[in-house]
Every structure is written in structure tokens, then in C-alpha cells.
Amino acid sequence: MTVKDDSFTDWKNREEIAESMIPMIGRLHRERDVTVLLHSRSLVNKSVVSILKTHRFARQIAGEELSVTDTLPFVQALTTLDLGPSQIDIGRLAEIYKTDERGLSVAEFTAEAVAGATGGNKIERREPRDVVLYGFGRIGRLVARLLIEKAGSGNGLRLRAIVVRGGGDQDIVKRASLLRRDSIHGQFQGTITVDEAEGAIIANGNTIKVIYANDPSEVDYTAYGIKDAILIDNTGKWRDREGLSQHLRPGIDKVVLTAPGKGDVPNIVHGVNHDTVKPDEQILSCASCTTNAIVPPLKAMADEYGVLRGHVETVHSFTNDQNLLDNYHKADRRGRSAPLNMVITETGAASAVAKALPDLKAPITGSSIRVPVPDVSIAILSLRLGRETTREEVLDYLRDVSLTSPLKRQIDFTTAPDAVSMDFVGSRHASIIDAGATKVDGDNAILYLWYDNEFGYSCQVIRVVQHVSGVEYPTYPSAV
């Protein structure tokens, strides 16, 4: 048999193994609210090829490809356990098991590693928490996709309604179509139908009421059977506590803003300061996409090396706030054609760092350039460190942070030498460290951080909502 034949046979064998994983992963998710991860990447509802690619991706981080033959026994072991709602990373299980010298079987090791999610220790499955989207633009529709995807067994978060201004004939049909197809993020994974008589969009069996209102005061959510809901304001129209408090109508318990909050509104970056949210806090902000991109790696660097000062330059994709062609705009320069120009503008991300990292006393400055790409941005973070180091040390540290630390859902890591912006469309991390572009000289470090300013940010929003709703389930094995 030739090498080519050997490679093809090996591929078919791995396909068969990955295919056998799919029903087990699906049952764990639907029946027990268990999300199976591989190095922080969900394997739920993934195809055979997606599962294999996710395993192969591990070589960029850990230096060698992770085989499905290594992880299958852990999936099989999970199906035999009395698991409660949780997230279980089989990549981490396989990695730790290799270094365990006690001679335990995979089943014994797995049962021990996830003991906090089994038997009397497991979390009870909660009733779904109602969610309302106020606004249905770029972020609103991506958040909707994520909420529908995560509906899973029917527990957790449940998207009940969207609130929009009326748009004339076939308004609901057009909004459903925008949810169904996206020029950047592709087709919706599932089926979408419209019930015009009931004024609802039905997505993967989830009935989502479309409520028309020009102002928060016009809506009584209890009239739609909505109670104790979390409202996500995607409009950015109100950013202070007084304005956002208008959403605290009958049926709404908390308000989450998908833009930087002003005044005393807490700006929350999941993974960094989400644990500071007080249980009785009703209004909070998820900050900006750029703040979410820079704060986690900034915290990681400050924790290890100390940071004396820094500057962030963001090269940001254009947004709907800009004009397609030159036209009046209240802000300087943003009136110029977005797809034709690089546009210098301001960013509030640097000043927002203080809210998310109050213990970081280092001054951080920032500026931004909008460029003619529709999605994915890059933040160039230039830091003066508290001690001298080397490029190799920094990269080894950040690689480990992306794999094993509490920030592993926020920080990703790539060594791909030819990576470009479109490669990161759909990334669920807040930012991706580009190892090849990283520069270190003594106590100066420059990090290049890619981020999907639409989808990656939307994932951060969902994580915050899960946290404040009480349906953010623990991850095993625990981060060290």
C-alpha cells in the first residue's frame, strides 16, 4: 500500500470515529445540558469535517495534532456518568490524562475530573430565562443566532421577542430573511419560517414574537407572556442609567447594553470582571468590541509582567454608522465613503479599560482607523512592561493562557504564517493573538490582536447574559 493510500485510509477511519461522536455529543447536550468542548471550541451540532478540523487546529497551539482516537474514549466515558449541566473540555481531559501517572483508566480519570458535575454535586437544570432583543441590526441578529443555537434542550436562555420600529409592508418577512442569510456570516444553521398572522418568526422551533414600538414606554411585555426577562439593547440609543432604565417595564428584570455604558453603568468584559456584577444590578454594559478584544490580553500581560503604560491602535472594519458614499455625518471624517477610504476616527476603548481593569494604574491611550473591509478588525497593543522578557517567553505564556487559563474563552492564539482578516470571521473568542506578528524587545512588547468585531463580540455578550441569568454552567476540568 502506498503512502497516499495509507493517508486516505487513515482519513476515512478518523471520519468514522468523528461520526460516532456526533450522536453522543448531541444527546449529552439535549438531555443533560452538557456542552462538549475541544480546547474551548464547542463540538455541539458540528459536522464530521468540523470536528476533525477542530482536532487538527490543536497543533497550532499545542504543537501537535489531537487525534479523535484520543478523545473518543473521553466522550464515551461522559455518556456513562450522571452528569448535570456543565461544559466539559475533552481536549483538556486528554492533555492532562497523558501526564497523569497513577495508571487510572480513561473512565476512572474522567469520572474524577468532572466529579463536580456529577451525582449530588451537579447543578439542577433551570427553567428557561426569557430574553428580549431591543433592536435587530448587525449585533442583534447575531445574538439571536447564538441564543437560538444555545436553546439546546430548552433550558438556559430562551429568545422570546424582538422589538423594532415598524418598517411597512412585509416587514417581518424581510427581517426573517436578514436572519436567514448574512453576507458575512453565511446561512442560518437551521430553518426559519414566518407566521405573519401571529407576528412571529419561528427559528428551529423557537417562536420569537416581533413587537413594534417606537419607544420603550409603549411595551408591556407581560402581555406577551414574558416575565423576569433580560432585555438586550442593541440600538445604543441610550447609554446611561437614566436612559436604559426606560426598558425596566413590566416583564423585564435586567437590561444589558451592547455598547459602552456611560456614567455609573458597569462596563463588563466577560472573563475579566464579570464576577463583579452585583446580583441586584439591573443595568449593565458589555462595553465595546474593541474593549473586549484588548482587555483580556492586557490583563494577562499585566498579571505576568506588569504594565507601566500602553497604546492601542485599532484597524477597524467599517460599520453601519458610516456612509456608503460621501454624505453628511455628525462626526468628523465618518461622512466620507466607508468602502472607499481609510478613515481616522476616535475610539473609547482605551478609556474604557479603567472601568474593566480598575486595578491597572498604567495610562492607556488609543486611536482608530476604519478601513474598507466589512468585518474583522485588528488591535495593535504596544506595551511598556514592568520587567524585561523575550519574545519566546511571551509567546509560550500567551499560548498557555489561551489553552488553560480562566481567559481561554476570551483569548485565542494562532501561529498560521499567512493568516489574514477573513480567516477570523466567525471566531468566538474576544481576540486572537497573532504569534508571527508579535514583537518583544526588552521591556517593550507589541501584540497584534485579531477580532471578529461582530461575532466574537456577540459571543461575549451572550456570556455576560448567561452569567447574570444564572445559566452560565461550570467548565471541567477546571482552569488552573
Side-chain angles (χ1 to χ4, degrees):
M1 183 177 288
T2 66
V3 173
K4 182 177 180 180
D5 290 336
D6 283 341
S7 296
F8 184 70
T9 300
D10 177 61
W11 173 259
K12 300 304 289 184
N13 289 338
R14 286 188 288 140
E15 274 190 324
E16 185 177 359
I17 293 170
E19 190 171 21
S20 72
M21 288 182 172
I22 292 174
M24 290 185 280
I25 293 169
R27 282 196 300 273
L28 285 167
H29 186 59
R30 289 191 305 275
E31 297 173 6
R32 307 186 197 179
D33 272 357
V34 173
T35 299
V36 176
L37 309 173
L38 187 84
H39 287 312
S40 300
R41 289 164 166 78
S42 173
L43 297 182
V44 176
N45 292 328
K46 294 297 187 289
S47 68
V48 167
V49 171
S50 292
I51 290 174
L52 292 175
K53 286 181 69 175
T54 304
H55 278 74
R56 183 163 174 74
F57 179 82
R59 82 191 192 284
Q60 290 193 32
I61 301 176
E64 60 182 19
E65 183 172 344
L66 185 62
S67 173
V68 286
T69 59
D70 294 327
T71 56
L72 174 63
F74 293 95
V75 178
Q76 292 170 327
L78 292 176
T79 63
T80 67
L81 299 174
D82 180 26
L83 288 166
S86 56
Q87 300 183 102
I88 300 177
D89 195 320
I90 58 173
R92 289 283 294 136
L93 285 175
E95 182 182 34
I96 298 171
Y97 182 67
K98 285 182 181 179
T99 63
D100 190 273
E101 299 177 347
R102 294 175 295 166
L104 299 177
S105 68
V106 168
E108 291 168 335
F109 176 83
T110 303
E112 179 183 276
V114 303
T118 61
N121 296 323
K122 68 183 181 182
I123 298 172
E124 292 302 318
R125 297 169 72 176
R126 298 179 175 89
E127 288 297 312
R129 184 72 177 268
D130 290 352
V131 178
V132 173
L133 297 180
Y134 197 96
F136 206 52
R138 297 297 303 157
I139 299 302
R141 292 194 296 273
L142 291 177
V143 168
R145 285 188 174 200
L146 287 164
L147 288 168
I148 295 161
E149 170 194 301
K150 293 180 181 297
S153 62
N155 292 271
L157 302 174
R158 180 174 60 175
L159 178 57
R160 295 294 309 279
I162 62 173
V163 183
V164 293
R165 293 191 296 268
D169 293 342
Q170 291 201 307
D171 179 273
I172 191 171
V173 173
K174 292 176 180 178
R175 294 186 188 278
S177 182
L178 285 169
L179 180 62
R180 185 182 293 115
R181 302 178 185 88
D182 190 281
S183 299
I184 296 169
H185 301 283
Q187 297 275 350
F188 173 81
Q189 296 300 303
T191 63
I192 292 176
T193 56
V194 174
D195 186 337
E196 290 191 78
E198 293 296 324
I201 296 171
I202 298 140
N204 290 358
N206 296 269
T207 300
I208 306 161
K209 183 71 177 178
V210 179
I211 301 171
Y212 294 104
N214 293 314
D215 187 83
S217 65
E218 298 177 9
V219 189
D220 178 350
Y221 294 95
T222 59
Y224 302 94
I226 295 169
K227 61 179 182 179
D228 194 32
I230 297 174
L231 183 144
I232 305 174
D233 184 329
N234 306 290
T235 68
K237 184 176 180 180
W238 305 278
R239 293 170 57 186
D240 59 12
R241 186 172 296 275
E242 181 182 2
L244 292 167
S245 293
Q246 298 177 75
H247 289 304
L248 294 173
R249 303 280 300 154
I252 301 299
D253 178 56
K254 295 181 185 293
V255 179
V256 175
L257 171 66
T258 62
K262 295 183 176 181
D264 67 342
V265 174
N267 279 253
I268 304 302
V269 175
H270 191 275
V272 175
N273 67 337
H274 65 278
D275 288 336
T276 65
V277 179
K278 298 176 181 177
D280 60 350
E281 179 61 74
Q282 288 189 288
I283 295 173
L284 54 93
S285 156
C286 291
S288 70
C289 56
T290 301
T291 303
N292 277 264
I294 65 174
V295 164
L298 181 56
K299 173 177 168 50
M301 293 297 286
D303 287 348
E304 180 65 18
Y305 301 103
V307 171
L308 302 182
R309 65 173 179 266
H311 176 80
V312 60
E313 187 78 35
T314 67
V315 182
H316 199 292
S317 58
F318 63 77
T319 68
N320 270 332
D321 175 65
Q322 295 170 259
N323 294 328
L324 284 174
L325 294 172
D326 289 3
N327 204 357
Y328 173 80
H329 194 291
K330 63 181 181 180
D332 294 339
R333 305 190 203 236
R334 289 199 192 187
R336 303 300 297 277
S337 172
L340 296 178
N341 294 290
M342 292 190 292
V343 179
I344 297 173
T345 186
E346 72 283 346
T347 176
S351 58
V353 167
K355 281 194 170 185
L357 287 174
D359 293 336
L360 181 68
K361 304 306 179 184
I364 307 292
T365 57
S367 52
S368 181
I369 303 172
R370 297 287 180 93
V371 294
V373 295
D375 187 30
V376 180
S377 304
I378 190 166
I380 305 167
L381 185 59
S382 180
L383 302 174
R384 174 76 180 276
L385 304 178
R387 66 176 173 88
E388 292 193 354
T389 182
T390 65
R391 182 174 182 272
E392 291 72 22
E393 181 189 344
V394 168
L395 289 179
D396 285 345
Y397 168 66
L398 292 175
R399 181 188 293 109
D400 187 61
V401 166
S402 73
L403 274 173
T404 64
S405 81
L407 290 170
K408 64 185 179 182
R409 297 173 72 193
Q410 282 70 43
I411 299 176
D412 204 358
F413 188 93
T414 182
T415 59
D418 56 353
V420 294
S421 60
M422 288 301 288
D423 295 327
F424 303 104
V425 171
S427 170
R428 295 179 180 238
H429 289 78
S431 63
I432 306 100
I433 293 162
D434 192 312
T438 300
K439 294 174 174 57
V440 179
D441 181 9
D443 60 355
N444 290 296
I446 302 176
L447 307 182
Y448 286 72
L449 311 169
W450 298 101
Y451 58 109
D452 184 331
N453 48 278
E454 293 186 333
F455 196 73
Y457 175 67
S458 296
C459 289
Q460 282 287 88
V461 171
I462 290 294
R463 291 171 189 136
V464 170
V465 173
Q466 287 177 316
H467 177 72
V468 300
S469 68
V471 296
E472 185 180 37
Y473 300 136
T475 300
Y476 298 93
S478 301
V480 295

